[in-house]
């Protein structure tokens, strides 16, 4: 089993353990956010189900938007007043939808290979290898999402191209 396959298997196992996967390996469309009391104040209220839900939604949105150009995931899981901290993208869910469609048209074979997902409180961090063109090394990407009322409310990201060589024997993933 390759490291990529192991990472995918681990992610599927985590998501499956929260019972949030639909038939396609994505969070079921009918999965409601946990009780609104869980979302009102995150301090000391890290329920496993809510954290699992947030992780599943973050992955669903990234893969849906950037691999499939799927605007429905944005409508379902992203607040209309979505705040964007990437200096190259305006705020708003509509902007994210347009970005996803344009990205998917330019890079129809892009793969957002999720390596790990971490959730605490209202934040989710996704570490991925985003490969826009098959056969290239792609970029190491960290996406950070803040959730509010069960939907993505805010986003930060950093990206670094994966180099051909490294000064050490460690990979970026």
């Amino acid at each position: 089993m390759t490291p990529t396959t192991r990472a995918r298997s681990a992610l599927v196992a985590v998501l499956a353990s929260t019972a949030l996967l639909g038939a396609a390996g994505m969070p079921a469309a009918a999965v409601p956010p946990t009780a609104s009391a869980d979302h009102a104040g995150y301090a000391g209220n890290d329920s496993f189900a809510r954290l699992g839900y947030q992780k599943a939604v973050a992955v669903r949105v990234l893969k849906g938007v950037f691999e499939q150009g799927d605007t429905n995931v944005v409508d379902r899981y992203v607040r209309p007043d979505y705040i964007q901290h990437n200096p190259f993208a305006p705020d708003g869910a509509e902007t994210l939808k347009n970005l996803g469609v344009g990205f998917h048209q330019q890079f129809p074979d892009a793969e957002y290979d999720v390596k790990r997902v971490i959730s605490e409180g209202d934040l989710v961090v996704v570490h991925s290898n985003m490969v826009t063109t098959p056969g290239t090394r792609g970029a190491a990407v960290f996406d950070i999402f803040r959730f509010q009322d069960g939907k993505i409310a805010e986003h930060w990201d950093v990206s670094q191209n994966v180099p051909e060589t490294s000064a050490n024997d460690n990979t970026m993933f």
Side-chain angles (χ1 to χ4, degrees), residues 133-154:
T133 306
T136 64
R137 295 177 174 279
V141 179
F142 280 92
D143 288 284
I144 304 170
F145 298 99
R146 183 181 61 82
F147 278 74
Q148 182 180 339
D149 299 324
K151 291 190 172 193
I152 294 173
E154 200 163 2

Side-chain angles (χ1 to χ4, degrees), residues 66-116:
F66 293 104
E67 286 185 353
Q68 300 148 4
D70 181 3
T71 60
N72 291 326
V73 297
V74 177
D75 291 333
R76 179 170 287 138
Y77 298 114
V78 178
R79 292 175 53 94
D81 59 348
Y82 170 75
I83 300 165
Q84 175 60 261
H85 292 277
N86 182 314
F88 301 108
D91 291 338
E94 287 302 314
T95 298
L96 180 59
K97 288 165 49 173
N98 293 335
L99 174 67
V101 169
F103 183 90
H104 184 66
Q105 287 173 347
Q106 185 175 357
F107 303 106
D109 298 320
E111 183 177 350
Y112 222 94
D113 185 11
V114 175
K115 302 299 185 178
R116 59 193 48 84

Side-chain angles (χ1 to χ4, degrees), residues 86 112 128 130 138-143 157-162 172:
N86 182 314
Y112 222 94
S128 307
M130 184 173 69
V141 179
F142 280 92
D143 288 284
D157 62 6
V158 293
S159 176
Q160 182 178 6
N161 289 334
V162 178
M172 296 180 79

Side-chain angles (χ1 to χ4, degrees), residues 4-44:
T4 300
T5 305
R6 277 195 301 275
R8 284 184 184 154
S9 297
L11 177 62
V12 169
V14 168
L15 295 176
S17 72
T18 64
L20 293 175
L21 290 180
M26 298 294 228
V31 174
T34 55
S36 60
D38 284 354
H39 298 289
Y42 284 92

